[in-house]
Amino acid sequence: EKRIWMKRNENTTYINYSLKHASSDLTLKIKALVNYRDFHSLTKASDWQMDIIPLKDGTKIIAFENATPFYIKSDSGKFEPAHNWYYGFNLSAEAQRGLDHLDDILHAGDLTCTLSSEDSLTIALSTEDLEYINGQTELEKRRSYESEILNKLSSPKLKYRKSLREKIGRLALAADQFVVKRRQSSVIEGNTAIAGYHWFGDWGRDTMISLPGLVLCTGRPEIAKSILLTFAKYVDRGMLPNRF
């Protein structure tokens, strides 16, 4: 069973593999393919050399001088660093859209782990240098956060029929993925809404149109307030910027 989730308010993604039933041990080998670019770009590697630095529980990758470090860590298994470019990697979604679709991607290493029945492996992919990885604890934190979102749907103010709450709950959890952080000031945290994954940041028009459905219909007026205050500082002659 493979499960993927992100940590709230952090550039960290967890991947968990759990072996539910097995008559013998299973060796899992995972190839790490990495890049360093924005979502509008493609990489032409040429002779680009990234620093692949071994750690006791994974690896640290520095794409170039002053680049943000990227960490791959796991709670078990062994990571063997590598540095092999895969040239002309086909991006099928871009190809279907008629866009440039050949990308160079770096094979940064392999993680190998042997699992017995009911064992699990958790991998963290992050810009944070995590000291300790506990997949079960992080998963419980994520589930607790999602429960908070779902519990707000039972508020009498929202007046959702009980028979519809499960379906509405799925929408509320999906909607939450679009609410992200953007500072109101150097000291005050703020919120905004992503216009769409994975090619868009936050757009003023899309944020204002989607705000009621994302946060008011889901019982989170405090997030709505934060989004409005975040955008208010950019008001100019009655207008909001569409893009930052």
Side-chain angles (χ1 to χ4, degrees):
E1 179 182 87
K2 180 180 179 181
R3 187 180 300 274
I4 304 174
W5 72 95
M6 295 190 73
K7 188 169 184 176
R8 187 181 176 219
N9 293 331
E10 190 175 289
N11 292 319
T12 300
T13 297
Y14 289 99
I15 305 174
N16 175 268
Y17 294 91
S18 296
L19 184 59
K20 295 301 182 182
H21 304 285
S23 57
S24 62
D25 291 350
L26 179 147
T27 298
L28 183 65
K29 185 173 182 178
I30 300 170
K31 189 181 295 288
L33 302 178
V34 305
N35 219 315
Y36 196 94
R37 57 172 175 77
D38 69 22
F39 44 74
H40 290 302
S41 304
L42 294 176
T43 295
K44 301 302 178 186
S46 185
D47 58 352
W48 184 2
Q49 291 289 314
M50 295 191 191
D51 286 336
I52 312 296
I53 303 169
L55 303 173
K56 64 178 182 179
D57 53 356
T59 190
K60 175 182 179 181
I61 302 168
I62 302 178
F64 49 81
E65 187 176 0
N66 297 323
T68 300
F70 177 66
Y71 298 89
I72 302 175
K73 294 189 174 185
S74 64
D75 59 3
S76 58
K78 183 179 180 181
F79 192 89
E80 290 289 343
H83 195 291
N84 306 305
W85 281 102
Y86 285 10
Y87 297 99
F89 196 92
N90 182 56
L91 305 178
S92 57
E94 281 79 354
Q96 291 173 4
R97 293 179 171 92
L99 303 173
D100 291 341
H101 57 93
L102 296 180
D103 196 28
D104 296 345
I105 299 180
L106 180 67
H107 167 215
D110 299 289
L111 174 63
T112 304
C113 183
T114 299
L115 302 175
S116 299
S117 182
E118 299 184 3
D119 282 350
S120 68
L121 164 71
T122 299
I123 305 166
L125 313 171
S126 183
T127 57
E128 306 290 334
D129 187 5
L130 305 173
E131 292 185 6
Y132 178 70
I133 300 171
N134 188 316
Q136 191 59 39
T137 298
E138 293 298 334
L139 182 58
E140 289 303 319
K141 288 180 181 178
R142 182 66 202 179
R143 286 173 169 162
S144 176
Y145 173 66
E146 292 184 354
S147 294
E148 291 178 17
I149 295 173
L150 296 175
N151 288 339
K152 290 182 182 294
L153 299 177
S154 60
S155 168
K157 294 180 180 180
L158 296 180
K159 299 179 180 179
Y160 290 128
R161 293 203 306 272
K162 190 173 182 179
S163 60
L164 292 177
R165 282 182 195 159
E166 182 178 350
K167 293 180 179 178
I168 294 172
R170 294 173 188 164
L171 290 173
L173 294 176
D176 180 68
Q177 298 177 70
F178 292 86
V179 179
V180 298
K181 291 167 60 175
R182 179 184 278 280
R183 285 187 175 274
Q184 292 179 21
S185 68
S186 60
V187 294
I188 301 176
E189 294 286 357
N191 292 98
T192 183
I194 293 295
Y197 290 107
H198 57 266
W199 279 318
F200 299 108
D202 48 345
W203 291 26
R205 178 178 181 272
D206 296 62
T207 299
M208 294 304 123
I209 290 172
S210 63
L211 184 147
L214 292 181
V215 290
L216 293 180
C217 293
T218 56
R220 299 195 289 171
E222 71 283 358
I223 302 295
K225 177 182 177 181
S226 176
I227 292 173
L228 292 173
L229 289 175
T230 299
F231 274 83
K233 64 180 293 185
Y234 299 104
V235 173
D236 181 16
R237 289 168 288 176
M239 296 183 291
L240 287 173
N242 191 41
R243 296 176 65 186
F244 290 90

